[in-house]
Amino acid sequence: MLKVLAYIALIISFSPATANTLILANDGNYRVAPYIEYLEEKGEQIGIEQILSPNLQWKKNQDDDVNFGFSNHAYWLKFNIENHNILNQEWALELAYPILDSVDVYVVNSHRQVISYFYGGDKVSVKEKFVRHPNIVFPIDLFPYESTTIYARVESEGAIQVPLVFWEWDDFNFHTLIHFLFQGLFYGMVLIMAIYNFMVWLSEKERVYVSYVSYILFFATFQLSLHGIGYQFLWPDFPIVNQYITPVSMSLVCFALFSFLEDFFHIKNINIHLYRTIKISAYLSLILTASTFILPYYLSIYISTLFVLYTVFLVIFVALYMLNLNHPSARFFVIAWTVFLVGALFLLGNKLGIISITVFSEYGVQLGAGLEIMFLSLALADRMANTQKDKIKAQQQSLELAHQVNHEKERSFNAEIENLRIEREHTQKLESLVNLRTQELQNTLDELSTVNEKLKTISITDALTGLNNRYYFNENWPKEHKRAHRDKNHVSIIMLDIDFFKKVNDEYGHPAGDMCLKHVANCIAHHAAREPDIVCRYGGEEFAVVLPNTNESGALEVAENIRKDIEGLYLTWGNKQLKITASLGISSMQPDKSDERHQQFMVNQADQALYQAKAQGRNQVVLFSADIK
């Protein structure tokens, strides 16, 4: 009877919480917005101690996303979470808006104790990121069926958007791969079109091609800053560049666009008032670019956004005006800008907090820009064709006039022959130039292919230790497990964790910790040196070793040799000697199944053995057995 009453009381105590609690089960990703409560920080800064007070008035987020628009106040967010996936304790919390200034995340347990703290933002150097990714990503450990509350403080001088998603690491890595594939296609297309039109400019010497190349390159720079790719890969050591690049590139895009409009339509010859408006707008964009380095960031980004909106409407007016005048190239221009402006308006509405955060509001501008670049190239080609038609028409008029005057017949005939010769030479020159440019483009593509192969190698290598990384482990561990099951051989996995590594970082600094990681990596690689052996840096100070065709005794011998070598390391930092040890957990078996669940089961066994080694005093090797709890 007492057990029944206790069970009923347990159900009652948990029922209210689950209504507003994010439950992590077997799905690969979870949007956090529906579970968020927020608090606007007005006046003095609020610390986590005050936030944990039960007297604060939190507001429930009623939207499908969290978007506060432009604001000079910080916001606190919180949500409750429970991990019901016993096979996965480590999750990725992604904030897919990398240009926020400051993000602080606190993981609080059911006893209202802070158990983890993370920080990020575009003012944090790439080296300090917890996860090397263009977006803001934190690795969150969640024990199964334990109630946890996550608090986040977000502050930015620009638009404050907080698109939070919880990911399983495998799904997150796949999502990142698709994201980079899309970005690579977009920037590759931009680069090819820029090179092609620059080559055309070298041939034709018309300024419109330079304006077009400048426009698409400045736009690509803006996209690089908006998605965090530029800060991650191009200027990772210069946070100051990341602070100004977004408003500066926005202003320069407008400047290049005004120059392109002027040159493309020859507006000066059509409407002098419209020409002056565009000219003044171009000068204003340059003034806005310079003022970015003087005005506060929130003011410059807000003004830049409004100026882009003004530019959009001015371009629409010019396009409709030229279409009404039946300008020969207006049709292609209108088509190009229609597809682009739809995406741009979605992006502007998103930044101003008017439109919800969606895939199209974040990436629609790139899709539209890709189509716009293609149609503008067609417009330039059509413009060139119209020029040729005008030339042919002028030639025909000259021939008709020549036929009317008898005494000019012979002269006109000779002139026509000369014109044909010049045209033939020009055609041959153009064909030769096209072949040359085609070869240069092929060479560029070959170089890009070589660079892509290098990037592929870098993507599976840990930059600090030179070992394979977690991604390589996730790709190759299932293969070794399946091979062992197919060949009916033993396979062993060793999980290694450096003891008290946080103390080393706290007392001696992260450079000393990096030195320790490199020496530990060398010790592991020395004893797991067979060709099929896999040695990976699993994360932080944790390493994973896969030993194919190795039974329990062999794995114990390798692990003990690694432990002794690490214990015997003589490391110095400055004038101080560092003494480090490691704890190792082993799972070894002949797999009777080859599914993904059984693969993860062995990893969990090795983890449990590692935790047992830690609990028993560290600096030891523990083989998983059924007695380990």
Side-chain angles (χ1 to χ4, degrees):
M1 184 63 179
L2 290 176
K3 290 183 178 180
V4 174
L5 292 175
Y7 180 74
I8 294 173
L10 185 63
I11 293 175
I12 294 173
S13 64
F14 277 101
S15 297
T18 56
N20 296 318
T21 299
L22 173 58
I23 304 298
L24 304 181
N26 296 319
D27 293 335
N29 64 86
Y30 299 85
R31 292 192 55 164
V32 181
Y35 305 93
I36 283 181
E37 295 177 82
Y38 65 92
L39 179 68
E40 185 176 6
E41 184 178 280
K42 298 181 179 179
E44 297 182 357
Q45 180 173 338
I46 303 175
I48 185 62
E49 295 82 7
Q50 297 168 277
I51 286 296
L52 292 177
S53 170
N55 300 324
L56 296 175
Q57 298 295 322
W58 294 84
K59 296 181 181 179
K60 176 68 177 176
N61 178 47
Q62 302 296 333
D63 300 321
D64 293 333
D65 51 67
V66 181
N67 187 350
F68 301 110
F70 287 90
S71 175
N72 54 5
H73 293 152
Y75 286 83
W76 280 92
L77 294 82
K78 75 169 183 176
F79 59 95
N80 299 319
I81 189 167
E82 284 185 12
N83 179 18
H84 287 188
N85 188 337
I86 61 174
L87 296 179
N88 186 16
Q89 295 185 11
E90 184 173 345
W91 297 76
L93 177 60
E94 180 191 28
L95 201 166
Y97 190 63
I99 60 175
L100 292 172
D101 291 346
S102 175
V103 180
D104 297 281
V105 173
Y106 302 85
V107 182
V108 179
N109 62 17
S110 58
H111 303 293
R112 305 186 73 82
Q113 296 173 334
V114 177
I115 57 176
S116 298
Y117 167 70
F118 305 95
Y119 60 92
D122 66 356
K123 293 184 179 179
V124 176
S125 68
V126 173
K127 295 179 181 179
E128 295 179 43
K129 285 187 174 183
F130 289 88
V131 177
R132 296 291 181 88
H133 192 278
N135 289 335
I136 303 172
V137 182
F138 303 121
I140 306 293
D141 288 328
L142 298 172
F143 293 102
Y145 293 95
E146 181 174 326
S147 179
T148 303
T149 303
I150 294 181
Y151 294 83
R153 182 181 184 273
V154 182
E155 184 176 15
S156 183
E157 293 184 84
I160 299 181
Q161 302 178 21
V162 195
L164 287 170
V165 181
F166 255 98
W167 293 89
E168 286 189 349
W169 278 106
D170 287 343
D171 289 339
F172 175 73
N173 290 332
F174 180 77
H175 169 77
T176 300
L177 181 64
I178 298 301
H179 173 75
F180 280 145
L181 177 62
F182 177 82
Q183 297 299 322
L185 291 173
F186 173 75
Y187 292 113
M189 182 187 67
V190 169
L191 182 60
I192 290 173
M193 296 307 300
I195 293 173
Y196 169 75
N197 284 279
F198 181 75
M199 295 301 177
V200 175
W201 172 78
L202 292 177
S203 173
E204 299 296 328
K205 300 299 181 183
E206 291 191 38
R207 197 178 69 171
V208 64
Y209 294 99
V210 177
S211 302
Y212 176 69
V213 170
S214 301
Y215 163 68
I216 63 176
L217 289 180
F218 285 138
F219 180 80
T221 303
F222 167 67
Q223 289 296 307
L224 286 170
S225 68
L226 188 66
H227 293 284
I229 298 175
Y231 189 41
Q232 182 71 29
F233 299 107
L234 301 182
W235 52 85
D237 298 324
F238 302 95
I240 189 67
V241 173
N242 203 51
Q243 182 178 354
Y244 294 104
I245 191 67
T246 301
V248 166
S249 59
M250 290 171 68
S251 302
L252 291 177
V253 165
C254 295
F255 171 76
L257 181 54
F258 291 134
S259 300
F260 177 75
L261 286 175
E262 176 187 345
D263 297 331
F264 185 80
F265 289 115
H266 296 294
I267 294 179
K268 187 175 183 180
N269 300 329
I270 298 175
N271 189 319
I272 190 63
H273 299 292
L274 183 58
Y275 167 77
R276 289 172 181 172
T277 300
I278 292 176
K279 207 69 177 177
I280 292 172
S281 300
Y283 291 141
L284 286 176
S285 63
L286 292 177
I287 295 172
L288 182 58
T289 302
S291 66
T292 301
F293 303 96
I294 302 173
L295 298 174
Y297 178 84
Y298 78 91
L299 187 57
S300 64
I301 193 66
Y302 192 80
I303 294 175
S304 297
T305 303
L306 294 177
F307 191 78
V308 168
L309 189 60
Y310 157 77
T311 304
V312 167
F313 286 109
L314 182 57
V315 169
I316 293 174
F317 174 79
V318 171
L320 295 177
Y321 179 77
M322 292 300 168
L323 190 64
N324 185 59
L325 293 178
N326 291 320
H327 192 281
S329 300
R331 289 175 301 166
F332 284 109
F333 186 87
V334 169
I335 295 173
W337 276 94
T338 298
V339 295
F340 171 72
L341 291 179
V342 170
L345 288 173
F346 268 88
L347 178 64
L348 283 170
N350 171 244
K351 302 311 167 197
L352 293 171
I354 302 172
I355 300 175
S356 300
I357 302 172
T358 62
V359 173
F360 190 77
S361 69
E362 286 299 306
Y363 297 102
V365 68
Q366 287 185 311
L367 294 172
L371 295 173
E372 176 222 16
I373 290 171
M374 180 184 69
F375 281 112
L376 284 182
S377 296
L378 291 175
L380 289 173
D382 181 70
R383 183 175 179 273
M384 185 182 297
N386 289 331
T387 302
Q388 293 296 326
K389 288 180 181 178
D390 291 338
K391 290 181 180 179
I392 294 174
K393 186 177 180 180
Q395 291 175 356
Q396 291 175 345
Q397 291 176 350
S398 298
L399 288 173
E400 290 174 359
L401 182 61
H403 284 298
Q404 294 175 4
V405 182
N406 292 329
H407 66 85
E408 292 288 337
K409 286 184 178 181
E410 184 177 358
R411 183 178 176 183
S412 299
F413 177 76
N414 294 332
E416 179 64 17
I417 293 176
E418 181 65 17
N419 287 336
L420 290 174
R421 185 186 65 80
I422 293 173
E423 184 177 355
R424 184 168 53 254
E425 290 178 355
H426 179 73
T427 302
Q428 293 174 350
K429 179 181 177 182
L430 182 60
E431 291 177 353
S432 176
L433 180 62
V434 169
N435 293 333
L436 178 61
R437 300 303 178 243
T438 302
Q439 183 62 39
E440 290 177 350
L441 286 174
Q442 183 61 45
N443 294 338
T444 302
L445 290 174
D446 292 341
E447 293 175 0
L448 288 174
S449 177
T450 302
V451 171
N452 184 56
E453 289 298 323
K454 292 181 179 179
L455 288 174
K456 183 177 179 182
T457 301
I458 293 173
S459 69
I460 63 172
T461 304
D462 180 60
L464 176 63
T465 63
L467 300 177
N468 293 317
N469 59 15
R470 175 72 172 272
Y471 176 77
Y472 185 86
F473 175 85
N474 291 338
E475 290 293 318
N476 288 272
W477 162 242
K479 298 177 183 177
E480 292 301 332
H481 188 277
K482 291 179 180 179
R483 183 181 291 111
H485 174 261
R486 183 179 63 248
D487 298 340
K488 293 182 171 52
N489 288 331
H490 273 80
V491 65
S492 299
I493 181 170
I494 302 172
M495 302 299 291
L496 180 149
D497 188 85
I498 301 175
D499 297 329
F500 301 110
F501 185 71
K502 185 177 184 300
K503 184 177 180 182
V504 173
N505 279 334
D506 292 342
E507 292 186 5
Y508 302 99
H510 287 278
D514 292 345
M515 179 196 68
C516 294
L517 289 172
K518 291 177 182 178
H519 283 282
V520 169
N522 291 336
C523 291
I524 300 173
H526 176 71
H527 290 286
R530 298 181 307 172
E531 183 175 350
D533 293 344
I534 298 175
V535 181
C536 301
R537 185 180 178 191
Y538 198 70
E541 66 272 22
E542 192 171 1
F543 297 83
V545 182
V546 178
L547 301 173
N549 199 21
T550 303
N551 57 19
E552 295 178 354
S553 60
L556 282 168
E557 181 180 352
V558 173
E560 184 62 24
N561 289 337
I562 293 173
R563 185 198 67 78
K564 288 179 180 179
D565 269 15
I566 295 174
E567 183 181 24
L569 287 174
Y570 180 80
L571 304 176
T572 59
W573 186 258
N575 297 326
K576 297 181 180 180
Q577 180 179 352
L578 280 72
K579 189 67 177 177
I580 61 174
T581 60
S583 300
L584 298 90
I586 302 173
S587 174
S588 179
M589 65 174 64
Q590 180 180 321
D592 55 358
K593 294 182 180 179
S594 62
D595 54 57
E596 183 178 349
R597 183 176 179 274
H598 199 268
Q599 296 163 10
Q600 185 62 40
F601 181 66
M602 284 193 68
V603 175
N604 292 344
Q605 283 187 345
D607 266 335
Q608 292 180 31
L610 172 60
Y611 294 146
Q612 185 69 17
K614 293 282 189 181
Q616 292 177 180
R618 294 181 170 82
N619 191 24
Q620 56 186 276
V621 177
V622 172
L623 175 67
F624 177 83
S625 67
D627 297 333
I628 294 179
K629 301 296 185 181

